[in-house]
Amino acid sequence: MRNLLSIFLLAVLLSGCVSEQDLTLETATSRALDKVPGCGNDLETFNKVNESQEKGNGFVITIQQDCEPKDGEGPQMRSDYTYYVTLNEVKIVKDHN
């Protein structure tokens, strides 16, 4: 029984390490969204992925950000951010503020 548990734990560890080395669109999108700066001045932040495409060893992710007052009154600000995400880094390509 103890050997079976050891084999199971080893299999879980190995499969977890392999999956961390794979860069998927979902992982790249999540990492890009984590890099988008939040809205300041007590504004609500709404981020939406506008475009994503595989390019080279990574993905190009374009995110549209809307900043709105929390009470819903007043002007909105819109910004676009484009990131190139690889397994090792998340780099901003364009900042369209």
Side-chain angles (χ1 to χ4, degrees):
M1 184 70 166
R2 190 174 201 166
N3 287 339
L4 184 60
L5 180 60
S6 298
I7 292 170
F8 175 73
L9 289 174
L10 181 61
V12 169
L13 287 172
L14 290 176
S15 66
C17 292
V18 171
S19 65
E20 287 178 2
Q21 294 178 359
D22 294 337
L23 181 65
T24 64
L25 177 59
E26 182 178 331
T27 304
T29 301
S30 176
R31 290 177 64 199
L33 284 167
D34 288 344
K35 289 290 186 176
V36 177
C39 301
N41 299 328
D42 202 33
L43 298 172
E44 285 189 86
T45 303
F46 299 96
N47 294 326
K48 177 179 118 181
V49 176
N50 269 353
E51 186 179 345
S52 56
Q53 60 182 329
E54 192 169 0
K55 188 170 188 174
N57 294 331
F59 294 90
V60 176
I61 311 288
T62 302
I63 299 168
Q64 174 184 305
Q65 181 183 74
D66 291 322
C67 299
E68 301 177 6
K70 291 187 179 182
D71 59 8
E73 299 293 324
Q76 295 181 355
M77 294 187 319
R78 177 168 285 169
S79 302
D80 292 301
Y81 298 91
T82 303
Y83 292 92
Y84 181 63
V85 182
T86 64
L87 188 58
N88 298 320
E89 71 176 332
V90 179
K91 184 169 75 171
I92 192 159
V93 178
K94 292 180 187 173
D95 181 355
H96 311 275
N97 285 332

